[in-house]
Amino acid sequence: MDKTIKHIDWGVLDYMSAWQRQESLMEQLKIDPAQPNYLIMVEHPHVYTIGKNGDQANLLRLPPDVELIKVNRGGDITYHGFGQVVVYPVFRLEAFGMDIRKYIFSLEEVVIRTISRYGVTGSRIEKARGVWLEPDTPAARKICAIGVRCSHFITMHGFALNANTDLSYFNNINPCGFVDKGVTSLAVETGRQIDIPSLKQIILEEFENIFLNR
């Protein structure tokens, strides 16, 4: 099965439009074996999204400039906004010899390797998807959220990596349902603004390293 990955950058796009485009690509992959796998990067205007098993009680308040959308991915509530790189792989898992567990592990590995190139050490927490810093300490904080949907072994949704994100928007939610852990960004951890095009290029390189060079 073809492992070709086609990279697409949607720039800034509202969440629902991106969701609909992903659904369309997923359907194309289901019916047309000639379609490549798609790796989409996008930045969303302010939005809170709640996964299919999420708890609306984790929304503490809804600011007037933020949308609220219930979605068909795993995970609880999270925030998307400017300065955050959102990555949506629409992949055939069979092409990469992965089940969903290995796929999510690989997404986390992409992020861990990406942020390591900025001198930031990422880790995993058992039973808590995403990438964390200092996970076993009181300073535990999440730098990347992951939420995935898989249908007929084809994926959509993906991960959101905080780069220059305004973290104050996370104060209105219990991010991913946690009340005892914080959030952070590459800008906070490195003490400088992150060049987004360079970050996207690193993410693409790490996807190729993990998914194509296995």
Side-chain angles (χ1 to χ4, degrees):
M1 190 173 288
D2 192 356
K3 294 172 65 173
T4 301
I5 296 175
K6 181 177 181 181
H7 176 226
I8 304 174
D9 193 326
W10 285 342
V12 177
L13 184 67
D14 69 274
Y15 189 88
M16 283 304 302
S17 295
W19 185 0
Q20 290 162 2
R21 290 188 191 183
Q22 286 181 79
E23 292 272 12
S24 177
L25 290 174
M26 176 183 262
E27 291 305 312
Q28 290 177 38
L29 264 67
K30 288 179 183 178
I31 63 177
D32 183 0
Q35 289 289 322
N37 301 282
Y38 293 94
L39 181 62
I40 299 150
M41 298 187 193
V42 66
E43 191 174 350
H44 293 309
H46 305 300
V47 61
Y48 296 128
T49 67
I50 301 178
K52 57 187 178 182
N53 298 317
D55 184 351
Q56 184 134 354
N58 286 316
L59 174 67
L60 307 179
R61 65 191 68 84
L62 183 63
D65 62 336
V66 184
E67 280 191 282
L68 176 64
I69 300 175
K70 292 187 176 182
V71 296
N72 60 353
R73 58 159 174 79
D76 206 289
I77 191 167
T78 194
Y79 163 75
H80 299 306
F82 302 107
Q84 182 186 70
V85 178
V86 182
V87 180
Y88 295 134
V90 183
F91 282 5
R92 295 184 184 90
L93 292 185
E94 291 176 303
F96 303 101
M98 293 182 179
D99 59 16
I100 189 65
R101 185 183 182 95
K102 176 64 175 175
Y103 172 68
I104 292 173
F105 184 93
S106 297
L107 293 185
E108 291 169 338
E109 189 65 21
V110 167
V111 176
I112 288 168
R113 294 189 187 188
T114 294
I115 66 176
S116 73
R117 293 168 68 171
Y118 291 85
V120 178
T121 301
S123 303
R124 297 176 177 87
I125 292 180
E126 186 70 23
K127 298 182 180 179
R129 293 174 179 170
V131 176
W132 301 80
L133 309 187
E134 300 184 285
D136 299 321
T137 75
R141 55 208 184 274
K142 182 178 261 191
I143 196 167
C144 178
I146 292 179
V148 171
R149 179 190 172 202
C150 186
S151 175
H152 298 275
F153 299 102
I154 297 171
T155 67
M156 63 176 286
H157 298 296
F159 68 74
L161 175 59
N162 296 326
N164 302 318
T165 316
D166 182 348
L167 300 179
S168 68
Y169 283 90
F170 287 98
N171 295 335
N172 301 310
I173 62 175
N174 295 323
C176 303
F178 290 98
V179 297
D180 60 341
K181 295 177 175 62
V183 293
T184 190
S185 68
L186 274 176
V188 167
E189 298 301 324
T190 61
R192 60 184 172 88
Q193 286 289 290
I194 303 300
D195 181 74
I196 297 297
S198 297
L199 174 58
K200 289 179 177 178
Q201 181 58 39
I202 292 171
I203 292 171
L204 178 58
E205 290 170 6
E206 294 300 347
F207 259 97
E208 291 175 347
N209 288 338
I210 291 169
F211 284 85
L212 300 183
N213 299 328
R214 298 173 66 241

